[in-house]
Amino acid sequence: MEVLFLQLFNGISVSSILLLIALGLAITFGLMNVINMAHGELIMIGAYSTYVTQNIFMDLFPESMFGWYFVLAIPVSFLVAFVIGLILEFTLIRFLYGRPLDSLLATWGVALVLQQLARTIFGAPNVGVTSPSWLNGGLTVMDGVVFPYKRLFIIALVAITLFIMYLYIYRSNAGRRMRAVMQNRDMAACLGVSTRRVDALTFAIGSGIAGIAGCALTLLGPIGPSLGTYYIVDAFMVVVLGGVGKLVGTVFGALGIGVTNTVFEYWTTASLGKVLVFVCIVAFLQWRPKGLVAMRTRQLDS
Amino acid sequence: MQLRTLTPQRIYILIGYAVAATALFCAPLYLNDFRLNLLAKFLAFAIVALGLDLIWGYTGILSLGHGVFFGLGAYAMAMYLKLEASGGRLPDFMEWSGLSSLPLFWKPFESFGFAVAAGLLIPALLALFLGYFTFRNRIKGVYFTILTQALVIITTTLFIGQQAFTGGTNGLTGFSTLFGTSLAGTGMKHTLYYVTAALLIVAFVLCRVIVKSRFGKVLRAVRDGENRARFIGYNPAVYQMVVFSISGALAGLAGMLFVLHVGIISPSMMGIVPSIEMVLWVAIGGRGTLVGAALGAILMNSAKSVFSENYPDAWLFFLGLLFVIVVVFLPKGLVGLFSRITFRKRKESEEHDGAAAISHPAVRAGNG
């Protein structure tokens, strides 16, 4: 019973992290069909933004204020990644729409440059971010089952981000324009939507969410210049499994991979668990090649 | 094959091949042992590039998983060399991991023939297997690419995790002899170099035959219009599977040669970064042209060994920028640039020769 609870919680916790990372990708990849390999580096930028915020708080503010730095770090990470995403879109991504494989290669190059930049600025070794004291400890559910506050906080953060994304995409004017451009670009342009602006904004928002993910990752361990590369492929798998173009799919994809991963790792070893998850994904794609939630289309070459 | 008229352009190309072949076979005369060893390694990489070009440049499928095929070939050869070096005893890393007897799947690798066959067939079969489960369901373009990348991740984790069977993070190393002759000797190095050069030429000719054949035409048809090819009556999945499998086998061959030259294989050499670098070789040289792919591999690696020895930090910046520049400005790579410069004058007379440059928009657009 205890084991079951603990594994379930672990599964959901892993899923929430995967989801937060994949959410930004679901937007840039799912909605815009741009393969952003630099997504992992935007996560890394978010993480380092948190690190810098922490250092500023340590230097400038009294110690009693320190616990609050993390609350500020979340929007700061979002904004920094947002701005960098915007710059990236203006200088590079806009030339690569409609060429997904090329965008993959070019953004991989960007990723290399960003990683090396981080190495030059912050040094190659990992740096630690001190979590605020109110996140230490955990919630005791029953004897021997403790849910760490940090994990709970991440789950809550993901839920809130997801809710805001939902409001933005499905309940706001800007979101409606975004969906219009993704579904039928020419028609949207004819109706007066500035597709250039929508593209730039969408990409920047996807990048900003990667920044939030980076901020959350600082709670789990030290951060380094190659932080993003650990997560990027898993995140892509989530999007592929979930199906492209719908956020619901991404949620289920993350839950599916997170929970199966935990279960397999519990039954076997960490490395064998990963193999089994991959086999499961490929097997699943046999049954539904377009992922869990697919956009229905009559187009042949979509 | 009937004799074709020798246009000046064809003569230049033939002369080019002759010069390249001569330069390859005379290399031991003008390079010292260290440089020769490096060149031999690059030639092995050129074989991977050829295979990758077959699947990416000609069939329009981007695989980021060739590091795995390369690695599997390399491990097959390394297992043989390790067993020979251990001379009947248990390999050292197995003792450290507490194994008492040789695992069953290591046993056949005592035979050189089996190791070579495994180094070719295991990657080919793995590629066929993955291809069967993806192409048949029309999982293609970006999705396929991401799946191959996941394949890389899980293979490296598996190899690192199964320390007792694979040597873990350190990989396999500490080889001494091949057929009883020391691997470090000059004579052996020269022989291995010639073998590599010869195999590169064989691989090149093989790829060229494939590309020029009817089979190759279908590959290009699949690349430029998969559904059209399907409607004409071809089954694109079969062609994709076969070419992916050939491509995997070529990577395996390169891996085997790599181990012989370098003397070590570890999971980091088959990881994500090497896999993507392989793609970059092809992109820089020129996808869709075999010469471009092979030259790209040799030039890029030469540049890497010169730059990264002297400026390791600047190298990564340079590599990153190169990715961006090639994708945005040089979609056809160096060969495309070269043919644009030299053949511009003749543009009016020979609009679509096809031999030197391929200008289908679909090559640029990929298969997404």
Side-chain angles (χ1 to χ4, degrees), chain A residues 205-262:
Chain A
I205 289 175
S207 309
I209 293 176
I212 295 182
C215 182
L217 284 180
T218 59
L219 292 178
L220 298 179
I223 54 171
S226 53
L227 175 77
T229 45
Y230 296 124
Y231 295 98
I232 184 82
V233 176
D234 280 345
F236 269 116
M237 295 302 279
V238 168
V239 180
V240 169
L241 179 69
V244 164
K246 284 269 173 73
L247 287 185
V248 193
T250 314
V251 175
F252 284 119
L255 273 175
I257 291 186
V259 173
T260 22
N261 206 2
T262 321

Side-chain angles (χ1 to χ4, degrees), chain B residues 30-228:
Chain B
Y30 57 84
L31 288 178
N32 63 31
D33 274 6
F34 173 70
R35 294 282 162 207
L36 187 71
N37 191 237
L38 278 181
L39 181 63
K41 189 171 86 179
F42 302 162
L43 294 184
F45 286 151
I47 298 178
V48 190
L50 284 176
L52 207 49
D53 196 25
L54 221 47
I55 181 100
W56 185 34
Y58 287 93
T59 323
I61 298 164
L62 180 56
S63 158
L64 294 182
H66 269 55
V68 168
F69 305 131
F70 180 81
L72 287 175
Y75 267 97
M77 180 55 82
M79 280 159 87
Y80 166 75
L81 290 174
K82 190 77 196 170
L83 287 177
E84 185 171 315
S86 310
R89 288 205 319 278
L90 204 59
D92 44 12
F93 69 90
M94 286 186 185
E95 268 172 37
W96 303 330
S97 320
L99 284 193
S100 53
S101 66
L102 200 63
L104 205 61
F105 73 94
W106 269 73
K107 288 246 163 65
F109 283 92
E110 281 168 357
S111 128
F112 182 74
F114 181 86
V116 170
L120 288 172
L121 285 180
I122 291 177
L125 288 178
L126 179 67
L128 199 63
F129 184 74
L130 187 68
Y132 179 78
F133 283 110
T134 46
F135 299 135
R136 204 178 47 121
N137 278 302
R138 304 184 194 177
I139 298 173
K140 56 188 176 187
V142 175
Y143 298 91
F144 178 78
T145 306
I146 292 169
L147 282 180
T148 54
Q149 212 168 28
L151 177 75
V152 174
I153 294 257
I154 61 155
T155 317
T156 44
T157 9
L158 195 66
F159 272 68
I160 292 173
Q162 306 297 317
Q163 171 116 25
F165 303 117
T166 59
T169 323
N170 303 326
L172 297 178
T173 186
F175 317 130
S176 52
T177 56
L178 176 68
F179 303 137
T181 317
S182 167
L183 275 168
T186 309
M188 191 57 163
K189 288 231 177 280
H190 281 196
T191 318
L192 284 175
Y193 172 80
Y194 282 122
V195 169
T196 310
L199 283 174
L200 173 63
I201 291 175
V202 170
F204 184 84
V205 170
L206 174 79
C207 289
R208 203 175 153 73
V209 167
I210 290 176
V211 167
K212 292 283 168 192
S213 69
R214 186 186 158 82
F215 181 81
K217 271 192 188 138
V218 180
L219 291 184
R220 264 165 289 165
V222 169
R223 175 191 69 191
D224 295 340
E226 190 175 330
N227 281 315
R228 290 188 191 193

Side-chain angles (χ1 to χ4, degrees), chain A residues 79-136:
Chain A
L79 274 180
V80 172
F82 183 91
V83 170
I84 290 181
L86 210 58
I87 296 171
L88 204 58
E89 206 275 346
F90 268 111
T91 50
L92 178 65
I93 307 292
R94 61 191 297 184
F95 301 110
L96 299 171
Y97 288 126
R99 295 157 61 184
L101 291 182
D102 282 357
S103 72
L104 188 155
L105 292 179
T107 49
W108 174 263
V110 173
L112 279 184
V113 172
L114 288 177
Q115 266 182 41
Q116 192 55 35
L117 212 58
R119 226 167 266 141
T120 317
I121 298 173
F122 297 100
N126 286 357
V127 295
V129 175
T130 322
S131 317
S133 52
W134 46 272
L135 280 177
N136 291 334

Side-chain angles (χ1 to χ4, degrees), chain A residues 102-215:
Chain A
D102 282 357
S103 72
L104 188 155
L105 292 179
T107 49
W108 174 263
V110 173
L112 279 184
V113 172
L114 288 177
Q115 266 182 41
Q116 192 55 35
L117 212 58
R119 226 167 266 141
T120 317
I121 298 173
F122 297 100
N126 286 357
V127 295
V129 175
T130 322
S131 317
S133 52
W134 46 272
L135 280 177
N136 291 334
L139 187 70
T140 314
V141 183
M142 59 168 88
D143 261 356
V145 181
V146 179
F147 295 170
Y149 284 134
K150 286 179 185 170
R151 300 268 177 171
L152 288 172
F153 179 79
I154 293 179
I155 295 176
L157 183 68
V158 176
I160 293 169
T161 313
L162 200 62
F163 184 65
I164 294 175
M165 282 309 301
Y166 168 78
L167 286 185
Y168 179 78
I169 296 179
Y170 294 101
R171 288 284 180 274
S172 77
N173 284 335
R176 187 181 303 125
R177 281 195 291 276
M178 184 162 123
R179 279 180 294 141
V181 171
M182 300 324 151
Q183 281 169 18
N184 193 332
R185 179 171 296 266
D186 295 338
M187 185 59 83
C190 287
L191 292 173
V193 178
S194 166
T195 53
R196 278 288 317 123
R197 277 236 303 273
V198 171
D199 283 339
L201 192 63
T202 313
F203 189 81
I205 289 175
S207 309
I209 293 176
I212 295 182
C215 182

